[in-house]
Amino acid sequence: MTPGGSTPELRIVEDATCTFCGCVCDDINLHVRGEQIEKAERACVLGKSWFLNHDRDERPDCLIEGRPASVSDGIERAARILAEARYPLVYGLSDTTSESQRVAVSIADWIGGLVDTTTSVCHGPSGMAFQGVGEVTASLGEIRNRGDLIVFWGSNPAESHPRHFTKYSLMPKGLFVPNGRSDRTCVIVDVRRTKSAKAADLFFQIKPRKDFEALWILRALVQGIAVDESLAERETGVPLARWQDLADRMKAARFGVIFFGMGLTMTRGKHANSEAVLALTRDLNQFTRFVCKPNRGHGNVTGADNVVAWRTGYPFGVNLARGFPRFNPGEYTAADVLARREADAAMIVASDPLANFSQPAREHLRSIPYVVLDPKETPTTRAATVAFTVATYGIHVAGTVYRMDDVPIPLRPAYASSHPSDYDILKGIESRVRQLASQRA
Ligand code: SF4
């Protein structure tokens, strides 16, 4: 109801963008009445829950030490915390626009701090592997139009990215796969029979923590190198004949794709696993066209990698304390810096490290002054020195996000929020830390 008592008119926001997962579906029609999204046409179950659960939020725009404060006071306090710290950390960034990410990296630069994103706890090993091996890549549009052998390795899109199969990878009819699903072969490799396995033509259940061995067996077979039959089965749990069949199918594909997930990147081997899958893809290009893509989770985690890489040359875990970027995962990644009790202040953007970091990291974060910008109330916002409640990207705020294939997509928000955008607050903090930095110089 409007203040006058009448029911607001129904508006349709066409081709809105869902930022819940890395598929970043940009074909959602939102039915909006006032400040309520009533329907999200074409969204999957996760997307619907994302769009339909944004009720009016009455929390103050800013809390300083748990007490309501003005946004300008919050910006002043935040800027001082960051500018006066000796080793400040900027972390999170995967659930906001690329415009905001850019400003957050600038703040890290001005304060001589460290910038890290949630990539360091999901596809960080892939970021390292891309630097070591390179990436043979394609857009999801190319995959939709050309892919005829689709492999999912350590990834369960049926549950994590529900429209992946139908919009991009398995079901769509494409220019060179006119019969859609029947023109494609789907292979799933995982340590357990996930919901996605039901979609597979060929399912490979490998032993846990044996992805590296399985990928190197495939690399050998693709190159025609003999592999010991009993060793292959003992190591991977899958008979050599099945690996040989897969290697042959990969070489015979017209356009093959491997999508890999955290079941590969965060199990034993980590970046060595990612390097193995990228190297296998590179090897396959001696025979046919083959590409490889990580299945990314958060709505704009790919944007975070892109923005941090444009600004610093590295995708995450970057130290700017010496006035030039240094990259060293493990040394400059947020979870490690906090667990070693090194950071003495932090700014967290749209992330909840108090819910998912190790206990030593969580304990240290609680012991230092930190600023948080988040649309949601979380354990991290509740313990913050300065907490800003901000508008939600894609629902209230326009901007740009990057789909998991590095394609930038514009946001078409549904309605304005009573809360400020994180972009405006970050710009305010950036301006103030610059002033403080120039006063110190
Ligand atoms: S697949 Fe992902 S981006 Fe697409 S509607 Fe579902 S949650 Fe949103």
Side-chain angles (χ1 to χ4, degrees):
M1 298 279 263
T2 63
S6 60
T7 306
E9 254 183 42
L10 179 71
R11 290 183 301 115
I12 310 289
V13 179
E14 290 188 348
D15 295 332
T17 302
C18 176
T19 55
F20 188 79
C21 84
C23 282
V24 186
C25 299
D26 57 348
D27 59 349
I28 313 291
N29 285 353
L30 298 178
H31 293 224
V32 185
R33 207 181 286 278
E35 295 184 3
Q36 188 76 42
I37 300 172
E38 295 185 339
K39 195 169 167 190
E41 283 177 41
R42 299 196 193 96
C44 69
V45 59
L46 299 179
K48 281 197 172 77
S49 151
W50 166 249
F51 281 116
L52 303 187
N53 288 303
H54 280 273
D55 295 338
R56 191 176 173 81
D57 183 345
E58 303 294 350
R59 285 178 299 147
D61 292 340
C62 178
L63 294 169
I64 299 180
E65 289 167 2
R67 285 186 289 281
S70 69
V71 169
S72 57
D73 285 353
I75 288 174
E76 178 64 25
R77 180 73 181 270
R80 286 193 176 275
I81 287 172
L82 296 171
E84 288 165 9
R86 296 184 62 215
Y87 195 19
L89 162 71
V90 174
Y91 176 72
L93 301 177
S94 54
D95 270 322
T96 187
T97 62
S98 290
E99 289 79 358
S100 298
Q101 291 164 345
R102 192 159 56 89
V103 183
V105 178
S106 289
I107 293 171
D109 201 2
W110 284 110
I111 60 181
L114 189 154
V115 60
D116 187 32
T117 76
T118 61
T119 285
S120 63
V121 289
C122 60
H123 272 280
S126 314
M128 294 161 67
F130 293 146
Q131 299 216 336
V133 180
E135 183 186 15
V136 189
T137 185
S139 72
L140 291 175
E142 276 180 276
I143 291 166
R144 176 189 167 104
N145 279 300
R146 295 175 182 275
D148 63 344
L149 177 67
I150 315 288
V151 181
F152 293 92
W153 197 301
S155 175
N156 179 16
E159 290 186 279
S160 58
H161 301 75
R163 293 185 78 203
H164 200 296
F165 289 164
T166 53
K167 193 164 174 352
Y168 301 115
S169 53
L170 284 190
M171 311 309 287
K173 294 180 176 162
L175 200 56
F176 300 101
V177 276
N179 302 308
R181 179 66 183 89
S182 54
D183 280 342
R184 305 180 206 265
T185 302
C186 173
V187 179
I188 298 207
V189 183
D190 214 321
V191 296
R192 64 189 176 93
R193 196 169 271 278
T194 61
K195 273 200 178 164
S196 299
K198 289 194 190 120
D201 299 301
L202 304 169
F203 176 64
F204 288 71
Q205 183 159 0
I206 60 170
K207 286 185 178 174
R209 301 181 297 283
K210 291 292 182 180
D211 301 84
F212 181 84
E213 288 80 352
L215 285 162
W216 273 80
I217 285 168
L218 274 174
R219 285 195 73 193
L221 296 174
V222 163
Q223 299 290 350
I225 298 168
V227 176
D228 184 297
E229 199 174 332
S230 61
L231 179 83
E233 183 159 0
R234 196 170 64 242
E235 283 297 316
T236 66
V238 175
L240 182 63
R242 291 200 69 210
W243 290 123
Q244 183 66 62
D245 175 55
L246 179 56
D248 294 344
R249 286 173 187 264
M250 286 173 143
K251 287 164 75 172
R254 280 180 300 143
F255 189 106
V257 187
I258 305 175
F259 288 105
F260 61 101
M262 285 170 57
L264 181 76
T265 66
M266 279 296 167
T267 51
R268 193 189 68 164
K270 292 195 171 179
H271 67 278
N273 293 346
S274 300
E275 283 175 1
V277 79
L278 296 175
L280 171 64
T281 309
R282 188 187 57 199
D283 296 349
L284 284 161
N285 278 274
Q286 293 168 30
F287 307 96
T288 186
R289 173 81 172 135
F290 226 97
V291 300
C292 190
K293 292 299 309 169
N295 263 347
R296 303 307 301 275
H298 292 279
N300 199 22
V301 68
T302 307
D305 292 357
N306 273 277
V307 172
V308 177
W310 308 330
R311 299 300 306 271
T312 70
Y314 304 107
F316 66 96
V318 184
N319 185 326
L320 298 160
R322 290 195 185 161
F324 57 88
R326 288 178 293 158
F327 173 61
N328 197 8
E331 185 176 7
Y332 302 142
T333 31
D336 305 286
V337 165
L338 289 171
R340 290 194 303 266
R341 309 183 68 79
E342 291 171 355
D344 59 349
M347 180 171 76
I348 315 289
V349 182
S351 179
D352 188 13
L354 282 190
N356 53 44
F357 275 12
S358 66
Q359 192 177 347
R362 294 198 311 267
E363 279 172 5
H364 185 61
L365 182 59
R366 282 182 192 281
S367 74
I368 60 174
Y370 72 88
V371 181
V372 61
L373 298 88
D374 204 310
K376 302 179 297 294
E377 187 178 11
T378 65
T380 304
T381 64
R382 284 194 283 272
T385 315
V386 183
F388 295 99
T389 306
V390 295
T392 305
Y393 78 136
I395 306 269
H396 310 125
V397 180
T400 311
V401 299
Y402 280 70
R403 207 168 59 188
M404 63 165 79
D405 56 348
D406 299 291
V407 172
I409 308 271
L411 300 177
R412 295 184 182 83
Y415 59 91
S417 168
S418 59
H419 296 300
S421 68
D422 58 5
Y423 177 82
D424 289 340
I425 290 173
L426 289 166
K427 285 297 279 183
I429 295 174
E430 183 198 14
S431 161
R432 192 64 187 119
V433 293
R434 283 182 72 168
Q435 286 170 358
L436 292 168
S438 63
Q439 283 165 15
R440 274 208 316 268

